[in-house]
Amino acid sequence: MATPVRVAIIGTGFSGISAAVELQRKGIEDFVMFEQAPGLGGTWFYNRYPGAEVDLESHVYSFSYERYDWTRTHADWRELLGYLNHVAAKHGLLEHMKFNETVEDITWSDETRQYTVTSSSGEDHGVFTAVISAVGFLNIPLVPPFARGETEFEGAMCHTSRWIEGLSLEGKKVGVVGTGSSAVQIVTEAEKVASEVKIFQLEPNWLLPKNSRDFSDVERRLNRFAPVYWYRRLRLYFDYDKRQYFSSHARSTGRTNRRKHAEAQEFMRRELGDHPELLKLATPTFPFEGRRTVVSDTYYRALTSPHVTLVPHGVKGLTKSGAIDANGDEHDLDVIVLATGFDAANYLGNFRVHGEHGVDLHEQWAGEPEALLGLMVPNFPNFFIMYGPNTNSIPLVSFYQAQAKFAAALIGRLRGKTGSRVRVRNSVFVAYNDWVQDQLAKTVWAGTTNYFRAHSGRGKIVSQWPLGATPYILATKLFRRIGTRID
């Protein structure tokens, strides 16, 4: 007779929903999904700023088993949230979700070989055979020092991932701090309606055209035909895989890196060639792909607008009516948008995890997170991390599905009589992470200051996967067998 298992899933975004579906496919229906927000969606619940949309094409930024009638090549946050609600409803996941429930602590018992989950409500959730963390790594907003705590600024100020509901930019003097992915999206929208837009830039980023557009009625009708839909998805998948073959995208000598670098330079010259002062300010000094490459069809065009100003300085302080830049100049503003990204290297930074013999996960990591395939860590049996260390690559949803299958398969094996805990083999864990770091050392990421790196220690790259999705998917199948043991 099978031993019953009970699972806690932390998060209800793409990876959390993927984990739940794979558990169901293994016949595991006893699971609880904890969500700190009042609704599902994860990233796409919180990122509601004007212009927020995905950087990947809709057909590949979706589950392989769930088609959808996409309206755009790249879906915005509303459509993505609608998609996730559709998938959750179809698979009966809503009844498993606990909203407004912030997980604070996850603790393993050596005696019972089970986990307890402590959350903000104080409710007794019982015990769990296994825990799947599906919170990702871009979930802790990075707020600059000048904006922390109480400030004297009397206008509206918020981080892009914590947009103030009902906040309008129409007719306002808007300051955007940052030049990353969220910044370029909001600048484009602000330029359309604001009286003035000022972009505070520490450094520019490399930028490629996105080629984003609405699908025509004919395209949407064709996309509803399953073979057409899957063809579009597979073509996109293999295109991304080809780009990342042997880290071609991330090595300065790689064919993809050189081709995309030339494309980025040409795009910049084409859009800003008539504005030499902007061309100079918008040209990065670090290697192409050294940081996250931004995609936008409209940002450069927005820079040329007469009511948009690119300020080549960061912000060092606030006044009642605006901001003071690093040069000491004051700027009168009604709204300040912090497009300053996330504390990306702080994996699972929102809660504590205690494993065998009370070991604290964050203390064990000592500021340099690492895991087998980003999924499992020694001393933490039956604990799985979705989108964990060194798994940031594209197409993301393909990674989520592979990780969910890995976790669900091993949790499913706990129903047998072979054992009650699944653990990572330490020798495999060490060898794997040595290989990952050796591969990453050959990339342009290793020579650039970026959010891919740990805050402390050697500053090693803790977020990136060096290859494409197919090698990772194959690795999850291999290491599920040779990298873990059940006792």
Side-chain angles (χ1 to χ4, degrees):
M1 184 176 178
T3 303
V5 297
R6 187 165 183 258
V7 184
I9 300 174
I10 319 300
T12 61
F14 265 99
S15 56
I17 289 173
S18 183
V21 169
E22 293 303 331
L23 287 175
Q24 289 179 325
R25 289 180 168 179
K26 289 295 180 180
I28 300 171
E29 292 287 350
D30 191 0
F31 57 88
V32 179
M33 305 179 73
F34 295 88
E35 175 55 61
Q36 65 177 352
L40 65 82
T43 292
W44 300 111
F45 179 88
Y46 283 110
N47 285 276
R48 299 169 172 233
Y49 58 87
E53 69 175 26
V54 69
D55 284 348
L56 295 178
E57 293 85 352
S58 308
H59 281 82
V60 80
Y61 194 77
S62 54
F63 298 116
S64 63
Y65 46 80
E66 204 61 65
R67 290 183 291 131
Y68 200 61
D69 183 17
W70 299 109
T71 65
R72 288 180 54 75
T73 56
H74 299 70
D76 69 6
W77 70 268
R78 292 178 183 84
E79 192 163 19
L80 287 165
L81 202 54
Y83 175 70
L84 291 175
N85 274 278
H86 162 75
V87 176
K90 181 175 178 179
H91 290 268
L93 302 183
L94 295 174
E95 63 193 55
H96 294 270
M97 297 180 181
K98 287 180 176 286
F99 298 116
N100 297 306
E101 197 72 89
T102 302
V103 169
E104 298 173 343
D105 183 89
I106 300 167
T107 297
W108 169 263
S109 169
D110 291 318
E111 290 72 33
T112 65
R113 293 191 171 186
Q114 292 178 310
Y115 280 102
T116 56
V117 175
T118 303
S119 65
S120 54
S121 70
E123 179 184 340
D124 182 356
H125 302 293
V127 294
F128 298 93
T129 312
V131 176
I132 301 174
S133 169
V135 299
F137 81 115
L138 298 177
N139 53 46
I140 302 176
L142 196 60
V143 178
F146 68 81
R148 296 171 190 166
E150 294 293 324
T151 70
E152 61 176 316
F153 180 58
E154 295 179 346
M157 180 170 63
C158 63
H159 192 276
T160 51
S161 67
R162 298 296 184 270
W163 191 256
I164 299 171
E165 188 173 356
L167 177 61
S168 172
L169 304 181
E170 188 169 357
K172 304 287 181 61
K173 296 177 181 177
V174 179
V176 179
V177 183
T179 52
S181 294
S182 59
V184 302
Q185 290 177 344
I186 204 162
V187 164
T188 294
E189 296 303 308
E191 187 273 331
K192 297 175 184 176
V193 298
S195 63
E196 186 177 3
V197 180
K198 291 191 175 182
I199 307 159
F200 296 92
Q201 171 184 280
L202 285 176
E203 288 186 278
N205 286 298
W206 288 108
L207 192 146
L208 287 168
K210 191 172 186 175
N211 300 317
S212 175
R213 60 179 178 80
D214 292 338
F215 282 124
S216 68
D217 290 340
V218 172
E219 286 176 310
R220 289 183 66 179
R221 283 197 296 272
L222 286 172
N223 288 338
R224 294 182 192 119
F225 186 46
V228 174
Y229 191 100
W230 299 131
Y231 168 75
R232 291 187 187 279
R233 192 178 195 282
L234 285 172
R235 187 181 64 181
L236 289 165
Y237 174 90
F238 286 116
D239 182 53
Y240 281 116
D241 230 30
K242 183 175 64 176
R243 295 183 203 180
Q244 296 168 126
Y245 185 67
F246 281 111
S247 305
S248 179
H249 66 305
R251 298 189 186 188
S252 59
T253 56
R255 181 179 178 182
T256 299
N257 186 283
R258 289 184 283 112
R259 179 169 57 84
K260 291 293 182 180
H261 185 195
E263 185 181 341
Q265 290 176 313
E266 171 57 27
F267 182 50
M268 189 189 307
R269 284 193 295 267
R270 187 169 69 246
E271 295 287 310
L272 300 178
D274 294 335
H275 304 268
E277 72 290 347
L278 284 176
L279 186 61
K280 182 179 180 181
L281 290 176
T283 302
T285 58
F286 59 87
F288 181 77
E289 195 68 17
R291 295 176 186 160
R292 179 179 176 179
T293 300
V294 178
V295 290
S296 173
D297 299 314
T298 53
Y299 178 66
Y300 285 151
R301 203 173 310 145
L303 290 183
T304 65
S305 171
H307 59 274
V308 173
T309 303
L310 182 58
V311 180
H313 307 288
V315 174
K316 71 175 182 180
L318 301 176
T319 65
K320 287 185 178 181
S321 59
I324 304 172
D325 68 29
N327 198 43
D329 297 324
E330 295 189 21
H331 303 267
D332 188 27
L333 301 169
D334 301 311
V335 178
I336 297 176
V337 180
L338 305 174
T340 46
F342 300 87
D343 188 3
N346 189 11
Y347 281 86
L348 313 190
N350 287 321
F351 53 84
R352 309 298 298 185
V353 184
H354 297 91
E356 294 178 309
H357 312 299
V359 173
D360 183 288
L361 179 60
H362 294 285
E363 291 179 4
Q364 178 171 309
W365 275 342
E368 294 190 341
E370 58 182 0
L372 176 66
L373 295 167
L375 281 158
M376 296 190 72
V377 183
N379 298 317
F380 296 86
N382 304 4
F383 182 73
F384 304 90
I385 309 170
M386 303 278 289
Y387 203 13
N390 295 117
T391 63
N392 187 37
S393 186
I394 50 177
L396 288 176
V397 180
S398 297
F399 281 76
Y400 301 154
Q401 289 187 212
Q403 292 160 0
K405 289 177 181 177
F406 178 98
L410 290 174
I411 293 171
R413 290 176 61 189
L414 295 175
R415 292 177 298 181
K417 297 180 179 179
T418 55
S420 57
R421 65 180 174 180
V422 56
R423 296 188 287 173
V424 63
R425 296 183 186 276
N426 195 63
S427 58
V428 177
F429 173 87
V430 172
Y432 168 80
N433 279 287
D434 285 346
W435 173 82
V436 167
Q437 291 304 315
D438 179 66
Q439 295 299 306
L440 292 172
K442 301 171 185 176
T443 68
V444 291
W445 302 323
T448 309
T449 302
N450 48 49
Y451 72 69
F452 308 150
R453 292 174 170 273
H455 299 316
S456 58
R458 297 167 291 166
K460 73 175 185 180
I461 300 169
V462 296
S463 68
Q464 301 305 96
W465 167 251
L467 307 175
T470 297
Y472 182 84
I473 293 168
L474 294 174
T476 60
K477 297 180 182 298
L478 172 66
F479 285 111
R480 191 172 74 201
R481 301 181 184 280
I482 69 169
T484 64
R485 67 179 186 273
I486 294 178
D487 57 26

